[in-house]
C-alpha cells in the first residue's frame, strides 16, 4: 500500500510540477481536476488520517523537583531516543533533555526554555512538550498547555500536591485537558497511597481512578499491581530498565508466592476498596478531562514508567479539533493550519535568530511550500523548518497535525500568529494571565531609545512578559510572574538590542481586563480611575488595581463591569 501511494504521489508530482512550479495552492486545484486524482485523494487522506491518529502530543507538569526531568528521560529511553544504561542521570543528558541553549540558562543553571522532544514508540509518534520548572516562567507553561492534547502530572509521594501543580491544573481544567497522574518516588517513604488519592482529588479538583496500586513503599517497596492489565510488576532496585511483569489474577494464590501472605491480603483489600470507592475507569470521562487515571512508580529506578507509557499511548487522545475564531478546525482536514505558541530566542548562541514553535492543528506541513502568514496576509515558505527528535534538532520535510515544527524567525512572528494553506483563520486560546509583579521600565541610555523600544516590542511579542501602557502618563509597565523575568528582560535588552533599562517600583496588585454592556458605567469608571487605566499590547482596556481591597471596592461599586483576570474572556 505504501509503495502504491508513493508511486501515485511521484506521478502526480511529476505532472503537476511541469505545469505549476512551486505553488501548492494551485497544485491542489490541479489535482482535483485530474482523472486519477480521486484515488490519490482517498489514499492520501488515509495516510494523513493514520499519521495524525498515531500522534500523542502532551506535556509533563510538576512542581519543581517532583521528578519531571527524570520521567522525561525515562520516556525518551523507552522510545530509544536516548541510550543510557542505569538510572543515574548524567548532567549531559539532563541538559540535552531540557534544551539548555540560552546563555542565561547556562549562567543560572535553570531551564527557562520550553522545548519539544519527539520520539517513536510502538508505532506512535510521541511529542513531549517540556515546560520550565521555574515558577517565574509559569506564563510560558500556560501557553505550552494550549499546544498539547493531554498532560501527565508528576507528584512526589512524600510532598503530595504542591502549589505549582495546583496552578497548572487550573489551566488544564479551563481547557478540559485530559490528565494522567504519576505518583513518583515510591522507592522513598511517603504518604499513604489512599491519602495521596484523596489529596489529588481534593486539591486538583478532579475525580481520580488508580490504575496501579503500590505494594508497600520506601525500603519495603515491592512493586505495583496493575489493575488495568491484571498483572503484578515486581520492583527490583538492581534491575533498573524494565520491571518484571507477571500476569496474575489478584485472587490467585500465586500472588502470595511473590509478595507474601500479609502484603497479598492487604493488596486484595485495597483493590476491593478501589472498586467500591472509585468510579470505574471510563475513557470518555478521561478524555473529557473529568477523570484522571493514577499510576504509582519511581522514575529514578525506571519503575512503573513503561506501564504509564503503554497505557498512555492506548488511552491518550490523538490531536483534537481546535476552536478558531471563525470555526472549529478538524485535525484531519487536508489544508494546513497551525499557530505559534512559543518563540525561543538564541537557541544557537552562534546565531542570534529566534525559533518560532508552531503547533500544527490540521493537515500536513511541508518544507518549501507556500503558506499564508495570516496577520501579514502574505505567503511565506520555509526552507529549513526543524523537528525536535529527542535532544536533536533536525530539518524536516513534512509534519502532521499534532506535531510541533520550529521555524527560524527573524522577527516575523508573534505569539498567537496563524499560518494556513490560504484560509484566514485566527486561533483562540492563548490567554494572558494577570501578572503577579509589576515594574516601570525606564530607559537608562538616552542614546539607545529606539533600540530599547524595538527590544521591548519584540520581547513582548515573544511573550517574555506583558506590557501595559498607562493611559494617563504614557509610562510603560512590565508585568511578570516572577522576579527572574525582569532579570531576563534586562539581560536580553542589553545583549541582543544593545539597550539599557532601569526598573522603578510601582505598587500594583493585579491587572484586570474590563468590559461592560453598560457604556455609561464603563465611561464613568474609566474617568474615575484614569490614573490606573492602561492599554495592553493589543490596545485593550486594563484596570491596574493597587490592592485587593481597591479591586473589591471597584467590583462592588461598578456592578455592571466585568473584571477578568485573564485576557481570554
Ligand atoms: P524536576 O525536573 O521535576 O525538577 O525533578 P528532577 O527530575 O530533576 O528530580 C529531582 C530530584 O528527585 C533529583 O535528585 C532526582 O534524581 C530525584 N528523583 C526523581 N525521581 C525519583 C524517584 O523516583 N525516586 C527517588 N528516590 N528520587 C527521584 P537530585 O539529587 O536533586 O538531582 P540529581 O543529582 O539526581 O540530578
Amino acid at each position: 500500500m505504501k509503495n502504491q501511494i508513493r508511486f501515485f504521489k511521484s506521478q502526480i508530482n511529476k505532472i503537476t510540477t511541469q505545469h505549476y512550479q512551486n505553488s501548492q495552492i494551485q497544485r491542489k486545484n490541479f489535482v482535483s481536476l485530474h482523472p486519477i486524482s480521486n484515488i490519490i485523494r482517498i489514499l492520501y487522506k488515509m495516510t494523513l488520517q493514520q499519521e495524525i491518529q498515531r500522534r500523542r502530543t502532551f506535556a509533563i507538569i510538576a512542581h519543581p523537583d517532583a521528578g519531571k526531568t527524570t520521567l522525561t528521560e525515562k520516556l525518551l529511553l523507552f522510545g530509544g531516543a536516548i541510550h543510557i544504561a542505569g538510572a543515574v542521570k548524567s548532567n549531559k543528558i539532563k541538559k540535552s533533555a531540557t534544551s539548555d541553549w540560552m546563555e542565561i540558562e547556562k549562567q543560572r543553571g535553570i531551564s527557562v526554555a520550553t522545548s519539544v522532544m519527539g520520539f517513536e514508540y510502538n508505532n506512535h509518534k510521541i511529542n513531549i512538550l517540556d515546560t520550565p520548572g521555574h515558577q517565574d516562567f509559569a506564563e510560558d507553561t500556560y501557553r505550552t498547555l494550549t499546544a498539547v492534547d493531554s498532560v501527565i502530572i508528576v507528584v512526589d509521594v512524600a510532598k503530595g500536591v504542591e502549589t505549582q501543580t495546583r496552578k497548572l491544573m487550573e489551566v488544564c481544567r479551563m481547557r478540559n485537558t485530559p490528565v494522567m497522574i504519576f505518583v513518583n518516588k515510591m522507592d522513598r517513604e511517603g504518604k499513604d497511597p489512599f491519602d495521596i488519592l484523596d489529596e489529588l482529588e481534593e486539591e486538583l479538583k478532579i475525580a481520580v481512578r488508580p490504575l496501579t496500586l503500590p505494594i508497600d513503599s520506601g525500603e519495603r517497596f515491592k512493586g505495583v499491581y496493575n489493575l488495568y492489565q491484571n498483572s503484578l510488576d515486581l520492583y527490583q532496585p538492581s534491575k533498573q530498565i524494565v520491571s518484571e511483569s507477571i500476569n496474575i489474577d489478584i485472587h490467585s494464590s500465586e500472588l502470595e508466592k511473590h509478595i507474601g501472605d500479609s502484603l497479598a491480603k492487604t493488596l486484595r483489600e485495597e483493590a476491593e476498596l478501589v472498586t467500591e470507592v472509585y468510579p470505574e475507569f471510563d475513557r470518555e470521562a478521561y478524555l473529557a478531562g473529568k477523570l484522571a487515571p493514577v499510576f504509582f512508580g519511581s522514575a529514578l529506578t525506571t519503575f512503573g514508567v513503561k506501564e504509564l507509557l503503554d497505557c498512555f499511548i492506548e488511552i491518550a487522545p490523538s490531536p483534537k479539533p481546535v476552536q478558531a475564531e471563525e470555526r472549529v478546525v478538524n485535525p484531519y482536514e487536508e489544508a494546513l493550519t497551525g499557530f505559534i505558541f512559543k518563540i525561543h530566542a538564541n537557541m544557537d548562541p552562534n546565531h542570534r535568530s529566534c525559533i518560532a514553535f508552531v503547533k500544527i492543528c490540521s493537515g500536513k506541513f511541508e518544507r518549501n511550500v507556500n503558506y499564508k502568514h495570516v496577520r501579514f496576509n502574505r505567503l511565506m515558505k520555509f526552507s529549513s523548518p526543524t523537528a525536535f527528535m529527542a535532544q536533536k534538532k533536525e530539518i524536516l520535510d513534512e509534519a502532521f497535525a499534532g506535531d510541533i515544527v520550529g521555524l527560524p524567525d527573524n522577527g516575523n512572528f508573534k505569539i498567537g500568529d496563524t499560518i494556513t494553506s490560504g484560509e484566514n483563520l485566527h486561533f483562540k486560546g492563548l490567554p494572558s494571565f494577570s501578572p503577579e509583579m509589576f515594574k516601570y521600565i525606564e530607559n537608562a541610555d538616552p542614546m539607545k531609545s529606539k533600540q530599547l523600544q524595538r527590544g521591548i516590542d519584540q520581547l513582548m511579542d515573544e511573550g517574555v512578559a506583558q506590557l501595559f501602557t498607562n493611559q494617563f502618563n504614557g509610562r510603560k509597565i512590565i508585568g511578570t510572574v516572577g522576579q527572574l523575568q525582569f532579570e531576563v528582560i534586562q539581560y536580553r535588552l542589553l545583549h541582543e538590542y544593545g539597550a539599557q533599562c532601569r526598573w522603578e517600583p510601582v505598587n500594583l496588585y493585579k491587572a484586570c481586563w474590563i468590559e461592560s454592556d453598560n457604556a455609561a458605567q464603563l465611561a464613568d469608571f474609566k474617568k474615575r480611575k484614569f490614573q490606573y487605566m492602561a492599554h495592553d499590547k493589543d490596545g485593550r482596556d486594563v484596570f491596574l488595581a493597587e490592592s485587593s481591597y481597591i479591586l473589591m471596592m471597584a467590583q462592588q461599586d461598578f456592578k455592571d463591569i466585568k473584571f477578568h483576570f485573564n485576557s481570554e474572556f
Side-chain angles (χ1 to χ4, degrees):
M1 174 70 103
K2 267 190 184 152
N3 285 340
Q4 269 172 313
I5 296 170
R6 231 176 268 143
F7 171 72
F8 277 129
K9 271 175 147 181
S10 69
Q11 289 303 308
I12 203 81
N13 264 336
K14 261 189 214 158
I15 308 166
T16 49
T17 41
Q18 277 165 12
H19 292 76
Y20 301 103
Q21 278 183 347
N22 279 340
S23 167
Q24 172 75 350
I25 300 157
Q26 285 166 322
R27 189 172 112 180
K28 277 202 175 127
N29 292 339
F30 177 78
V31 166
S32 65
L33 299 173
H34 199 274
I36 57 167
S37 67
N38 282 346
I39 309 169
I40 294 176
R41 190 166 281 266
I42 291 165
L43 291 172
Y44 177 77
K45 245 198 142 127
M46 270 171 60
T47 40
L48 182 77
Q49 197 154 346
Q50 283 163 354
E51 281 296 344
I52 296 172
Q53 257 163 6
R54 69 185 200 94
R55 273 156 167 79
R56 302 284 183 273
T57 302
F58 73 105
I60 303 181
I61 55 177
H63 192 86
D65 269 352
K68 180 168 62 72
T69 315
T70 315
L71 180 66
T72 308
E73 256 177 42
K74 297 305 160 84
L75 293 174
L76 293 179
L77 196 63
F78 280 115
I82 56 169
H83 305 277
I84 181 168
V88 184
K89 194 168 38 173
S90 83
N91 276 337
K92 205 166 148 235
I93 288 293
K94 184 165 179 172
K95 269 188 187 158
S96 47
T98 54
S99 68
D100 214 352
W101 283 298
M102 274 174 70
E103 241 217 312
I104 195 146
E105 290 173 63
K106 283 186 204 142
Q107 284 186 354
R108 294 174 188 281
I110 305 162
S111 173
V112 298
T114 303
S115 62
V116 183
M117 284 155 279
F119 62 93
E120 295 276 335
Y121 180 75
N122 271 359
N123 201 27
H124 285 80
K125 167 79 193 299
I126 316 248
N127 295 312
I128 308 179
L129 274 60
D130 192 20
T131 52
H134 200 288
Q135 60 173 12
D136 285 10
F137 296 92
E139 189 83 16
D140 221 11
T141 306
Y142 299 152
R143 275 194 299 263
T144 299
L145 294 180
T146 64
V148 299
D149 297 305
S150 68
V151 153
I152 294 181
I153 295 180
V154 183
V155 173
D156 181 331
V157 68
K159 295 189 179 146
V161 177
E162 295 167 270
T163 14
Q164 189 72 355
T165 319
R166 219 173 288 125
K167 276 193 194 165
L168 294 171
M169 181 63 202
E170 275 172 34
V171 183
C172 294
R173 216 177 304 110
M174 266 170 71
R175 318 179 62 82
N176 298 321
T177 310
V179 161
M180 253 184 200
I181 300 171
F182 184 72
V183 179
N184 192 27
K185 306 197 185 179
M186 288 307 297
D187 58 308
R188 282 198 188 157
E189 297 301 332
K191 299 186 184 182
D192 173 83
F194 285 92
D195 288 347
I196 278 277
L197 290 169
D198 285 349
E199 190 177 326
L200 290 171
E201 213 155 40
E202 229 163 81
E203 299 275 337
L204 300 181
K205 301 190 179 64
I206 187 166
V208 297
R209 173 51 153 106
L211 289 188
T212 63
L213 265 183
I215 304 163
D216 229 325
S217 66
E219 287 186 354
R220 302 166 316 283
F221 185 47
K222 290 281 180 304
V224 295
Y225 188 80
N226 191 329
L227 298 165
Y228 190 60
Q229 289 172 338
N230 281 331
S231 62
L232 178 69
D233 300 320
L234 289 174
Y235 177 62
Q236 296 181 355
S238 58
K239 191 181 165 188
Q240 298 183 343
I241 297 301
V242 188
S243 56
E244 192 181 332
S245 185
I246 314 160
N247 284 328
I248 293 184
D249 185 274
I250 199 158
H251 300 293
S252 147
S253 57
E254 283 288 298
L255 194 62
E256 272 81 356
K257 282 192 197 156
H258 290 285
I259 57 172
D261 293 357
S262 159
L263 287 176
K265 185 168 172 271
T266 315
L267 179 66
R268 288 194 189 103
E269 283 167 6
E270 289 183 349
E272 213 164 289
L273 190 66
V274 168
T275 326
E276 280 165 16
V277 175
Y278 294 95
E280 244 331 280
F281 176 68
D282 172 7
R283 183 167 182 240
E284 290 312 309
Y286 158 69
L287 292 177
K290 305 278 179 254
L291 178 73
V294 181
F295 294 80
F296 292 85
S298 159
L300 187 66
T301 55
T302 329
F303 186 78
V305 178
K306 188 169 183 302
E307 292 71 19
L308 175 80
L309 184 57
D310 285 339
C311 182
F312 173 79
I313 56 170
E314 205 173 302
I315 67 171
S318 49
K320 295 186 285 190
V322 186
Q323 178 72 54
E325 267 170 37
E326 294 79 2
R327 64 184 184 87
V328 174
V329 176
N330 187 312
Y332 301 105
E333 291 173 15
E334 277 176 53
L336 173 103
T337 63
F339 67 87
I340 313 283
F341 68 95
K342 157 98 188 151
I343 294 175
H344 195 159
N346 299 341
M347 290 177 92
D348 179 351
N350 296 322
H351 305 97
R352 283 252 176 257
S353 71
C354 300
I355 291 216
F357 287 75
V358 186
K359 163 79 189 279
I360 310 291
C361 298
S362 70
K364 179 176 163 184
F365 174 94
E366 287 174 279
R367 186 155 82 98
N368 278 331
V369 162
N370 273 319
Y371 294 113
K372 185 173 187 174
H373 184 310
V374 174
R375 184 167 54 89
F376 286 174
N377 193 22
R378 197 175 81 200
L379 290 180
M380 287 176 94
K381 69 177 162 192
F382 306 95
S383 59
S384 46
T386 43
F388 304 87
M389 295 303 286
Q391 66 266 56
K392 296 194 299 283
K393 269 195 299 165
E394 50 191 48
I395 302 282
L396 64 77
D397 288 316
E398 53 179 37
F400 296 86
D403 286 338
I404 311 297
V405 176
L407 301 178
D409 176 35
N410 289 317
N412 281 321
F413 289 114
K414 275 189 190 189
I415 299 274
D417 273 348
T418 305
I419 59 165
T420 69
S421 292
E423 190 178 350
N424 274 329
L425 268 185
H426 301 85
F427 283 102
K428 286 173 143 186
L430 285 156
S432 300
F433 293 83
S434 174
E436 318 258 318
M437 299 174 93
F438 301 85
K439 282 182 187 179
Y440 281 122
I441 185 163
E442 299 293 345
N443 188 3
D445 179 355
M447 304 300 285
K448 298 282 170 64
S449 58
K450 265 194 191 152
Q451 285 88 331
L452 183 72
Q453 188 55 47
R454 196 165 62 88
I456 294 176
D457 286 348
Q458 285 188 2
L459 293 182
M460 297 308 122
D461 284 351
E462 269 182 39
V464 174
Q466 292 181 59
L467 173 72
F468 303 100
T469 310
N470 191 306
Q471 295 179 19
F472 169 60
N473 56 20
R475 287 184 81 180
K476 289 183 168 33
I477 296 167
I478 300 284
T480 69
V481 183
Q483 174 59 31
L484 197 50
Q485 274 164 295
F486 291 114
E487 292 172 37
V488 170
I489 292 170
Q490 195 158 19
Y491 178 94
R492 289 193 53 190
L493 284 173
L494 185 63
H495 286 83
E496 291 169 38
Y497 303 92
Q500 288 190 45
C501 77
R502 196 177 64 238
W503 301 109
E504 283 188 12
V506 51
N507 182 26
L508 292 174
Y509 163 68
K510 278 246 161 16
C512 313
W513 284 262
I514 56 168
E515 61 161 356
S516 177
D517 293 333
N518 184 339
Q521 193 172 97
L522 192 61
D524 183 31
F525 178 82
K526 282 167 50 175
K527 201 165 139 203
R528 286 225 265 175
K529 300 283 181 191
F530 70 98
Q531 281 177 305
Y532 297 98
M533 288 307 302
H535 285 136
D536 73 359
K537 66 178 186 328
D538 300 317
R540 283 177 299 187
D541 281 334
V542 176
F543 169 54
L544 302 171
E546 271 183 295
S547 67
S548 60
Y549 177 75
I550 286 176
L551 178 61
M552 193 182 74
M553 293 308 288
Q555 285 167 318
Q556 258 177 32
D557 295 346
F558 296 86
K559 292 246 172 349
D560 287 351
I561 295 182
K562 288 191 191 120
F563 296 81
H564 300 281
F565 299 103
N566 71 64
S567 62
E568 192 186 275
F569 44 84

